[in-house]
Structure formats: C-alpha cells, structure tokens
Amino acid sequence: MRILIVEDEADLRRQLTDALTQAGYTVDLAADGEDGHFLGDTEPYDAVILDLGLPKIDGVTVLERWRKDGKTFPVMILTARDRWSEKVRGFDAGADDYVTKPFYTEEILARLRALLRRASGHVLPTIEAGSLRLDTRSTRATLNGTPLRLTAHEYKVLSYLIHHQERVVSRTELVEHIYDQDFDRDSNTIEVFVGRLRKKIGGNRIITERGLGYRLIVPEHEQARAVR
Ligand code: CA
C-alpha cells in the first residue's frame, strides 16, 4: 500500500514517514501543495495524508482539484485548523477523515487502516482469504494460525493482493503500489517476490492470469468456510 504525505513541516514529515514505513507502507513525500498536487495527480496512491496550511497551494484547493479530476483515493486531512467550520469545509471538499494537530501516531495509523480497508471493501483490521490472514495492525500474516515469516517486500505484495483479493492485479499495478517514486522499478523483481510468497503460502493461492497479472484467491477446499 502506497501512501502520499503532503506536509511542509520537516519534523512531522519525518515522524509520519518513520511510523508509516514501520507499519509496512510505501511512502512518498511532498513539502508543498504544488508538488503534492502533482504527485497525487500522476501516481496511483492508496491513500493520502494532507496538511491544509501549505506553501504554494492550500491543501483544500489541492483536494478540490484532485476530486474534480476524478481522483478517488481516500484523503485524511491532518491540520492545526480545529474549527468546526474548517472541518466541514474539508469534508465537503472531498476529505474522508480529518485529524487535528497535535496527534498521536497510533491514532493516525488506526485511521489509515480503516480508510484503506474501507476503500477495498473490508471492515476489520484482520483481512482473511480462507485460512490465510493478514493483521494490518501488527503487519503479521498467518496461515492456518501459523505465523509466516515475510520480508518487508513480501508483506507489501501480500497486503496489496489480499486487500484486492479475487480481482486480477497487473504487474504494473503491483509495482506502482509497493514501490515509492524513487525506486528503480523492475517488474521482474515482482515475479521474484510473488514466487517467494507462493512458497510460503502455497502455490494455489496466487493464480497467474496469463498476460493480465495475479489474482489472490481462496482455494476451493477452503471456500465453504470462507468468511470475509
Ligand atoms: Ca502546514
């Protein structure tokens, strides 16, 4: 899951980046409204954390422009502006959540999990695909209750696929949602990660759809008791 943070205060940017990276997210940064708007306009983020008081272009204007251009990613406003009328303005501009500074990082992470799971049609922080489970709070996955040892990249691939289970995800889409903008993107490395993941979770859970991409499924023998 790839998150854009638009925040002009360097300390806050660093604090959020550390917390999000530790929580298994890929993070891109913008320090002003112009950069932020450009990145949101050109990269497919899973969610955005947006400050309002920004150099160059105000956060509300950035948000209004994205929404006008049809951008649907969830946006959490994170701002010092705590008047109710500012909150109304933010939500009406297309925000999905609104948090005022100072904040607790844990709360930001919990709200982000909620936005991400809602955006992909899930209601709980533990996402299941048959006996495969991913706990987005602890960034741990289990298979039949047994913990899986995943690298950071394997976790990112699994997280994206399980959030979007039963849907075909192309290699390009996967690359765009697990690497940040500066990463040297090579879709061949994705195949390596998927291959390693298959060895850990069983080859029948990630189907290769020829020429289209990957689909994470609940194997047939588990479907009767599948709860999502
Ligand atoms: Ca600011």
Side-chain angles (χ1 to χ4, degrees):
M1 295 291 189
R2 190 171 164 206
I3 316 294
L4 171 64
I5 299 172
V6 189
E7 168 65 66
D8 60 327
E9 288 170 56
D11 284 350
L12 269 189
R13 264 203 320 274
R14 205 170 307 124
Q15 184 188 338
L16 287 168
T17 304
D18 288 352
L20 264 64
T21 306
Q22 258 186 18
Y25 300 109
T26 298
V27 178
D28 281 353
L29 298 172
D32 63 59
E34 199 173 273
D35 268 5
H37 175 259
F38 175 77
L39 283 175
D41 217 26
T42 50
E43 299 288 333
Y45 293 104
D46 294 295
V48 175
I49 297 177
L50 178 68
D51 185 17
L52 290 186
L54 289 167
K56 295 187 185 176
I57 312 175
D58 178 81
V60 170
T61 307
V62 169
L63 179 54
E64 282 171 346
R65 286 186 192 173
W66 282 336
R67 293 313 191 209
K68 194 166 158 271
D69 290 339
K71 301 292 170 194
T72 57
F73 42 60
V75 173
M76 184 197 304
I77 288 177
L78 183 58
T79 179
R81 299 178 192 170
D82 59 358
R83 285 168 50 205
W84 69 267
S85 54
E86 298 276 5
K87 294 178 188 169
V88 169
R89 196 168 159 242
F91 279 112
D92 283 348
D96 299 277
D97 200 358
Y98 195 109
V99 182
T100 52
K101 297 170 186 172
F103 58 87
Y104 287 96
T105 310
E106 278 308 319
E107 184 183 342
I108 300 294
L109 290 173
R111 286 175 180 271
L112 191 57
R113 289 193 291 271
L115 288 178
L116 291 169
R117 68 181 180 246
R118 276 292 173 191
S120 54
H122 301 278
V123 292
L124 289 171
T126 298
I127 299 178
E128 303 184 353
S131 54
L132 179 65
R133 286 182 179 190
L134 183 113
D135 187 338
T136 58
R137 292 164 299 186
S138 60
T139 68
R140 292 209 172 97
T142 58
L143 183 63
N144 294 312
T146 308
L148 293 167
R149 283 174 164 275
L150 302 177
T151 64
H153 276 109
E154 287 164 6
Y155 174 84
K156 287 179 182 189
V157 170
L158 181 61
S159 178
Y160 193 79
L161 289 178
I162 202 167
H163 272 85
H164 299 282
Q165 58 185 273
E166 301 297 343
R167 173 164 87 64
V168 178
V169 174
S170 72
R171 280 185 188 78
T172 310
E173 180 179 345
L174 207 45
V175 165
E176 284 178 340
H177 287 268
I178 72 161
Y179 294 142
D180 62 49
Q181 55 171 347
D182 299 325
F183 201 90
D184 179 20
R185 293 172 188 184
D186 178 354
S187 67
N188 290 331
T189 61
I190 287 289
E191 285 175 44
V192 174
F193 292 141
V194 170
R196 287 184 195 151
L197 205 47
R198 277 191 176 126
K199 279 191 189 134
K200 294 180 181 179
I201 68 172
N204 57 347
R205 289 176 195 274
I206 303 177
I207 307 285
T208 301
E209 303 280 5
R210 231 170 227 285
L212 297 173
Y214 303 108
R215 197 155 57 92
L216 189 141
I217 58 157
V218 177
E220 219 162 275
H221 67 277
E222 288 180 5
Q223 278 177 15
R225 55 191 173 89
V227 180
R228 222 174 290 142

